[in-house]
């Protein structure tokens, strides 16, 4: 099992001491950490001492989390730019921290666009524009606002993606 620490979505923050206890369970192997609190993340990694793998749950914080000992990312961005996301992590683990950080920083505008509205609205629009499925959402979710959609598609094109109008 992978623990899911995304307080903005769950309304609950898994604190490092709690995760350290949970990490001792043989079926718990990792945590998706999206608290955004790097002091908390550092404490978590320190307390668990390798008993649990830590994955970034925030696409705008992949490289910083890896630098604390993270193992990778559970990502929204990777649905749109999987090779670039893998390249960012591969560069980091190969010791090219500067190259990894350059990718991270270059992708910040696209990452922000993927989170400009409630998840999964933007990523559904993005994957649909890439030809993967329909941009269909169930209520209470609605389609992206036109201005946000146009910005998202423009940023995807800047990354060399072939996008269609939704």
């Amino acid at each position: 099992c992978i623990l899911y620490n995304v307080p903005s979505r769950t309304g609950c923050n898994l604190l490092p001491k709690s995760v350290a206890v949970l990490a001792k369970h043989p079926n718990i192997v990792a945590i998706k950490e999206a608290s955004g609190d790097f002091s908390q993340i550092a404490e978590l990694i320190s307390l668990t001492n390798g008993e649990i793998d830590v994955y970034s749950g925030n696409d705008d914080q992949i490289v910083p989390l890896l630098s604390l000992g993270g193992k990778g990312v559970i990502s929204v961005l990777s649905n749109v730019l999987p090779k670039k996301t893998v390249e960012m992590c591969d560069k980091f683990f190969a010791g090219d921290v500067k190259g990894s950080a350059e990718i991270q920083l270059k992708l910040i505008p696209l990452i922000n666009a993927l989170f400009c509205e409630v998840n999964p609205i933007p990523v559904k629009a993005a994957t649909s524009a890439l030809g993967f499925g329909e941009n269909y959402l169930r209520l209470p979710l609605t389609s992206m606002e036109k201005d946000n959609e146009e910005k998202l598609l423009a940023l995807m094109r800047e990354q060399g993606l072939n996008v269609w109008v939704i």
Side-chain angles (χ1 to χ4, degrees), residues 83-156:
K83 289 180 183 177
K84 213 38 125 167
T85 308
V86 169
E87 180 184 359
M88 182 188 331
C89 293
D90 284 349
K91 281 184 179 287
F92 183 90
F93 291 123
D96 183 6
V97 176
K98 182 180 180 193
S100 179
E102 286 172 355
I103 294 170
Q104 173 83 84
L105 295 173
K106 184 178 179 186
L107 294 176
I108 292 295
L110 177 58
I111 292 166
N112 289 340
L114 285 167
F115 289 92
C116 70
E117 294 185 26
V118 173
N119 189 20
I121 293 170
V123 74
K124 283 280 286 187
T127 55
S128 178
L130 292 169
F132 298 107
E134 293 181 30
N135 188 21
Y136 172 77
L137 298 154
R138 291 178 293 181
L139 292 173
L141 300 176
T142 59
S143 297
M144 267 187 101
E145 293 180 21
K146 228 18 167 176
D147 289 347
N148 288 338
E149 180 184 307
E150 289 171 7
K151 181 179 178 183
L152 173 62
L153 296 179
L155 289 164
M156 291 171 64

Side-chain angles (χ1 to χ4, degrees), residues 1-145:
C1 294
I2 298 176
L3 300 174
Y4 183 84
N5 192 32
V6 187
S8 65
R9 303 218 5 122
T10 64
C12 179
N13 184 20
L14 296 175
L15 297 175
K17 288 180 182 177
S18 298
V19 175
V21 171
L22 292 168
K24 296 185 183 318
H25 191 286
N27 290 339
I28 297 175
V29 297
I31 183 169
K32 174 182 177 174
E33 175 52 61
S35 69
D37 181 341
F38 280 99
S39 295
Q40 176 176 305
I41 295 166
E43 181 182 359
L44 164 68
I45 291 171
S46 175
L47 285 175
T48 57
N49 196 29
E51 291 178 311
I52 191 168
D53 291 339
V54 180
Y55 292 90
S56 176
N58 291 330
D59 287 315
D60 62 342
Q61 299 176 346
I62 298 168
V63 174
L65 191 133
L66 295 179
S67 73
L68 290 172
K71 300 295 184 185
V73 59
I74 298 174
S75 168
V76 170
L77 173 66
S78 65
N79 289 284
V80 178
L81 282 176
K83 289 180 183 177
K84 213 38 125 167
T85 308
V86 169
E87 180 184 359
M88 182 188 331
C89 293
D90 284 349
K91 281 184 179 287
F92 183 90
F93 291 123
D96 183 6
V97 176
K98 182 180 180 193
S100 179
E102 286 172 355
I103 294 170
Q104 173 83 84
L105 295 173
K106 184 178 179 186
L107 294 176
I108 292 295
L110 177 58
I111 292 166
N112 289 340
L114 285 167
F115 289 92
C116 70
E117 294 185 26
V118 173
N119 189 20
I121 293 170
V123 74
K124 283 280 286 187
T127 55
S128 178
L130 292 169
F132 298 107
E134 293 181 30
N135 188 21
Y136 172 77
L137 298 154
R138 291 178 293 181
L139 292 173
L141 300 176
T142 59
S143 297
M144 267 187 101
E145 293 180 21

